[in-house]
């Protein structure tokens, strides 16, 4: 890598820990950028290109020069579907929590305003696709599965769902931090990754937490990756919403 070079595109997304599309090829050429007027990188295993400073901000990631999350997101606008731009955008703007469940806004990778600024930078290619995706990016999805379910629920015209919600008891003690909540219908939606099944301690915590939420009057709908991927998750939640008094669309 030359002094002027930096990783960008899907290579940068991988280095930033972003979820990647199923079709992503880990053996693809590394995406390396250089700032004008420096020449684009040319080497075996490298896809080099030249860009302008206002279109690609660079940061250090483990000793490597990598485009910032906002720049990375904007620069893959022509490589990803709108759905995947939303998944990646959700990943970048989420607010992490520490081991005690406390929000750490300073640890987030990007803000929605930073994504917007990157998308609207003068001369940005694929701006329309980025702006469309940005309207669906929300703070609160902690995984690809959560974003995928949320997008499917919105397409199915299910009611608005609050994300990453703290549930507390009457004494103010934290009972759980839930993935999604339909507050008006006393319904909680939890998206279960595979670790909820394979990790025995996590499995036991999930059972205890569901019981504690039920004692507070909440129904908990737990969605597996299979239900989300086969499209049946929205039907499960729709039925639960109707049980709780929602009178919205009754599609299949």
């Amino acid at each position: 890598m030359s002094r002027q070079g930096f990783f960008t595109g899907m290579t940068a997304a991988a280095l930033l820990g972003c979820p990647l599309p199923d079709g992503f090829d880990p053996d693809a050429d590394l995406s390396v950028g250089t700032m004008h007027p420096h020449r684009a990188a040319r080497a075996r295993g490298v896809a080099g290109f030249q860009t302008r400073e206002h279109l690609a901000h660079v940061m250090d990631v483990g000793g490597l020069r990598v485009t910032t999350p906002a720049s990375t997101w904007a620069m893959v606008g022509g490589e990803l579907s709108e759905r995947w731009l939303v998944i990646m955008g959700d990943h970048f703007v989420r607010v992490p929590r520490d081991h005690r469940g406390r929000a750490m806004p300073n640890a987030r990778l990007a803000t929605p305003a930073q994504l917007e600024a990157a998308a609207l930078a003068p001369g940005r290619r694929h701006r329309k696709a980025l702006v469309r995706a940005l309207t669906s990016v929300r703070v609160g999805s902690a995984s690809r599965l959560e974003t995928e379910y949320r997008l499917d629920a919105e397409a199915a015209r299910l009611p608005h769902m609050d994300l990453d919600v703290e549930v507390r008891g009457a004494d103010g003690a934290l009972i759980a931090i839930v993935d999604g909540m339909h507050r008006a219908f006393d319904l909680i939606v939890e998206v279960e990754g595979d670790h909820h099944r394979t990790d025995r301690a996590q499995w036991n915590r999930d059972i205890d937490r569901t019981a504690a939420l039920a004692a507070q009057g909440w129904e908990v709908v737990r969605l597996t990756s299979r239900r989300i991927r086969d499209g049946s998750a929205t039907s499960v939640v729709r039925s639960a919403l109707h049980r709780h008094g929602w009178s919205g669309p009754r599609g299949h």
Side-chain angles (χ1 to χ4, degrees), residues 25-239:
D25 180 5
D27 295 320
D29 289 350
L30 299 174
S31 181
V32 176
T34 51
M35 299 296 186
H36 178 82
H38 299 287
R39 292 183 178 181
R42 292 288 183 268
R44 179 177 296 178
V46 169
F49 73 100
Q50 183 191 76
T51 187
R52 302 275 178 171
E53 288 188 5
H54 72 283
L55 292 173
H57 301 290
V58 178
M59 63 187 290
D60 180 277
V61 176
L64 302 175
R65 285 167 50 80
V66 179
T67 48
T68 62
S71 292
T72 299
W73 179 78
M75 295 175 82
V76 297
E79 299 181 53
L80 299 178
S81 66
E82 184 175 326
R83 186 179 181 89
W84 264 100
L85 286 173
V86 177
I87 292 170
M88 186 178 289
D90 275 9
H91 173 79
F92 285 146
V93 303
R94 69 176 289 258
V95 177
R97 291 180 179 273
D98 66 15
H99 68 284
R100 297 177 61 182
R102 295 174 298 192
M104 301 187 295
N106 292 334
R108 73 192 327 187
L109 296 175
T111 65
Q114 289 170 335
L115 295 189
E116 181 179 26
L120 298 180
R124 176 69 68 198
R125 299 179 62 190
H126 311 291
R127 178 183 298 178
K128 289 183 178 179
L130 291 166
V131 171
R132 282 197 305 270
L134 191 57
T135 62
S136 295
V137 170
R138 285 183 59 192
V139 176
S141 287
S143 69
R144 166 186 173 179
L145 279 176
E146 289 181 34
T147 297
E148 289 194 284
Y149 168 71
R150 176 174 63 79
L151 292 175
D152 291 343
E154 291 171 358
R157 297 187 297 157
L158 298 187
H160 174 82
M161 181 176 67
D162 295 328
L163 306 178
D164 192 36
V165 184
E166 296 180 3
V167 180
R168 296 183 180 274
D171 60 356
L174 182 66
I175 296 174
I177 300 167
V178 300
D179 298 334
M181 175 187 288
H182 292 283
R183 197 180 303 271
F185 302 101
D186 297 326
L187 188 70
I188 284 171
V189 176
E190 292 280 64
V191 176
E192 311 287 15
D194 203 45
H195 71 284
H196 289 267
R197 177 184 62 84
T198 58
D199 186 322
R200 182 179 295 274
Q202 181 67 56
W203 175 257
N204 288 326
R205 285 195 297 271
D206 289 344
I207 291 174
D208 292 342
R209 191 171 72 152
T210 299
L213 290 168
Q216 295 290 319
W218 297 96
E219 178 179 352
V220 180
V221 176
R222 300 174 67 182
L223 302 176
T224 62
S225 58
R226 180 185 64 80
R227 283 208 175 276
I228 293 171
R229 297 278 161 72
D230 69 16
S232 65
T234 55
S235 296
V236 172
V237 176
R238 181 187 294 112
S239 296

